Amino acid sequence: FPGGAGPKGDSIDVSSNPTGTNKGIGVRGLAIDKANHRLFISETTDNELEVWDTTTMKIVQKWPVERPGPLACAPDGTVWMISRKEDGNRAKILHYDASGKKLPQELTDGDAFDPTGLWFEAKSARLLVADNGPDQAIKIYANPTKSADKPDTTFGLSLIHISEPTRPRL
């Protein structure tokens, strides 16, 4: 594609200046919407979510976001983004339509909520969230557009605490 990087001109280099500026590196998340030929990039240098057309590899839109982090696309063309825990601000997961309009859904799960990854499972319309909080679990939102602050179920360690190592007796 025109302007492509790499030896065959078929890639973009998001490690140097993803927004075309001379600012530092700030890519925190990538997600693709294959049906609509869109690549979403969360970019912390300018606190933006960028939308690239995958057929031309040109930026078609960008909008400001709070503490951009990992992303996941839903089959309806919307994008879910982790707004990272930072400077006393609690982490949350935000929902946007493809034009940048913030949708009303915000997923939070208390002060200890520290999401580090997202996956939207299209077949059952579930949002899976890797939480680096104390329970170290995958939190599953069965219907994230209607979910409240708590997940429908979890998978993983979930509240295992080891207080003191035990020693074998001889």
Side-chain angles (χ1 to χ4, degrees), residues 5 16-17 26 28 40 68 80 97 116 127 142 151 165 169:
S16 59
N17 56 354
R28 292 286 182 160
F40 293 88
W80 295 86
D97 73 10
T116 57
L127 184 67
R169 293 185 184 247

Side-chain angles (χ1 to χ4, degrees), residues 87-110:
D87 298 328
N89 293 302
R90 291 173 51 179
K92 55 188 168 183
I93 298 172
L94 305 173
H95 192 201
Y96 295 92
D97 73 10
S99 68
K101 178 183 174 199
K102 187 175 173 302
L103 299 172
Q105 296 79 26
E106 277 192 18
L107 306 177
T108 62
D109 193 17

Side-chain angles (χ1 to χ4, degrees), residues 3-31:
K8 296 181 182 177
D10 61 353
S11 60
I12 58 174
D13 183 1
V14 297
S15 67
S16 59
N17 56 354
T19 59
T21 68
N22 291 322
K23 297 180 181 179
I25 301 165
V27 174
R28 292 286 182 160
L30 299 168

Side-chain angles (χ1 to χ4, degrees), residues 80 82 90-94 105-110 112-115 117-131 135 137-155:
W80 295 86
I82 294 174
R90 291 173 51 179
K92 55 188 168 183
I93 298 172
L94 305 173
Q105 296 79 26
E106 277 192 18
L107 306 177
T108 62
D109 193 17
F113 189 50
D114 189 14
L118 296 173
W119 177 256
F120 197 93
E121 183 186 36
K123 185 176 180 181
S124 58
R126 300 185 312 169
L127 184 67
L128 286 73
V129 178
D131 186 8
D135 59 352
I138 302 296
K139 298 189 173 182
I140 302 169
Y141 295 84
N143 188 345
T145 59
K146 297 194 181 357
S147 288
D149 285 341
K150 299 291 180 192
D152 296 291
T153 189
T154 62
F155 172 80

